[in-house]
Amino acid sequence: MSDPLSQLQSLQQRIEKVLDHYLALDDCGTARLREAMRYSALAGGKRLRPLLVYSTATSLGASLETVDAAAAAVELIHVYSLVHDDLPAMDNDDWRRGKPTCHRAFDEGTAMLAGDALQALAFKILAESCSDLSATQQLTMVRLLAQAAGTAGMAGGQAIDLESVGVTLDTAAVENMHRRKTGALIVGSVLLGAVGANVLHGRNYEALQQYAQAIGLAFQIQDDILDVEGDPQLLGKAVGVDAARRKPTYPGVAGVAAACARAVELRDQAVAALEPLGAAAHALTALAHYMVDRRN
Ligand code: IPE
Ligand code: IPE
Ligand code: MG
Ligand code: MG
Ligand code: MG
């Protein structure tokens, strides 16, 4: 068996090809919209959510092919959320993944539409016929992704984020915001992988859900920490922007040291939750460590 890191690298290469395939976009209205979607979705990004989909599915014995569509769909939702998150009406950022943000490279209207179309494409991909999955599995995937992206998840969390500018939140309120705006899509990624393996409930499903809930929150706490002490070159985005925009963040309310301690605590909880899966979960364990130890 190859080591988890080289396995993860080969999964990264796989998702680049899968995304390129789904983003061929032969009929896209305008060439500009097509270019904006491809610009934001291809070449760049850690691809953590697809890695979680793949690693979960294979830990439960499913093939990679079975979850290619789910891995692409969740990344497209993530990219859409980044394109909109960077807009002047939200975080007003100029850099993303080491390149000018979508609205900077194109224009605001095109960036809004690129986000809209990326989201629609995600659901189209999931709904397309896939001989490896039953109709129940596909429908469950559509529901899980909608739940992760919508009011209960990313969009609802982003709404809290927008309304909280300049507001003093306590740590519980920050955690609630983070679980929604970022954690929900990470939970969705893991559960999509489980559904791909036809694991829709039971001990392993619950263990994976607990893993994902813990690591999803830890991931946004680490994102907040990197905004304070990260290297913009490595991150490919500006730092110090949360404080400048009076965004409530975990280090903002609790301090950097407490934020680091909380991220590590959650990472350890995530790894412990994988116990029922045994050695099959080694890639998920490696991912949990990477998601908290990362500098990019
Ligand atoms: C950044 O996500 C935004 C958050 C939800 C914290 P990532 O750190 O996964 O960004 P990419 O996909 O690697 O660019
Ligand atoms: C982003 O949170 C959460 C999303 C749902 C996109 P941030 O606003 O902190 O993400 P970055 O720091 O811009 O990547
Ligand atoms: Mg934001
Ligand atoms: Mg942002
Ligand atoms: Mg951030």
Side-chain angles (χ1 to χ4, degrees), residues 8 36 53 86-87 89 99 106 113 118 130 133 139 167 172 182 189 202 207 213 232-233 246 257 264 267 273 288 294:
L8 293 174
V53 176
D86 291 333
L87 283 168
K99 299 191 298 188
F106 295 85
L113 292 171
L118 287 165
C130 171
L133 297 174
L139 205 54
V167 176
T182 298
S189 305
Q213 283 167 352
Q233 293 295 334
R246 299 183 302 139
V264 166
R267 180 200 68 196
R294 71 198 168 97

Side-chain angles (χ1 to χ4, degrees), residues 82 85-86 91 93 96 158 223 237 241-242 245 247:
L82 297 178
D85 180 73
D86 291 333
D91 291 353
D93 273 308
R96 171 69 64 186
Q158 290 283 68
D223 181 85
K237 61 187 183 185
V241 292
D242 291 335
R245 289 183 200 122
K247 292 268 185 186

Side-chain angles (χ1 to χ4, degrees), residues 63-179:
S63 70
L64 295 173
E65 290 74 25
T66 316
V67 288
D68 275 333
V74 77
E75 182 67 12
L76 294 178
I77 294 288
H78 170 59
V79 173
Y80 130 66
S81 81
L82 297 178
V83 170
H84 282 193
D85 180 73
D86 291 333
L87 283 168
M90 296 191 78
D91 291 353
N92 193 18
D93 273 308
D94 295 338
W95 293 96
R96 171 69 64 186
R97 296 176 163 177
K99 299 191 298 188
T101 45
C102 189
H103 66 276
R104 282 283 179 185
F106 295 85
D107 57 84
E108 281 180 41
T110 302
M112 289 166 73
L113 292 171
D116 295 341
L118 287 165
Q119 171 162 223
L121 180 60
F123 286 103
K124 176 171 175 277
I125 289 171
L126 278 188
E128 264 165 14
S129 65
C130 171
S131 54
D132 290 336
L133 297 174
S134 69
T136 302
Q137 280 172 292
Q138 279 186 273
L139 205 54
T140 305
M141 284 185 172
V142 169
R143 184 177 53 73
L144 280 173
L145 194 62
Q147 202 170 306
T151 47
M154 189 275 291
Q158 290 283 68
I160 298 173
D161 180 296
L162 277 187
E163 275 194 14
S164 304
V165 171
V167 176
T168 308
L169 300 183
D170 61 19
T171 52
V174 171
E175 289 199 2
N176 173 50
M177 174 174 78
H178 283 11
R179 283 186 192 278

Side-chain angles (χ1 to χ4, degrees), residues 9 31 255:
Q9 269 164 5

Side-chain angles (χ1 to χ4, degrees), residues 3 15 34 39 64 66 205 230 296:
D3 68 287
I15 190 63
R34 177 179 188 272
Y39 174 87
L64 295 173
T66 316
Y205 187 89
N296 70 337

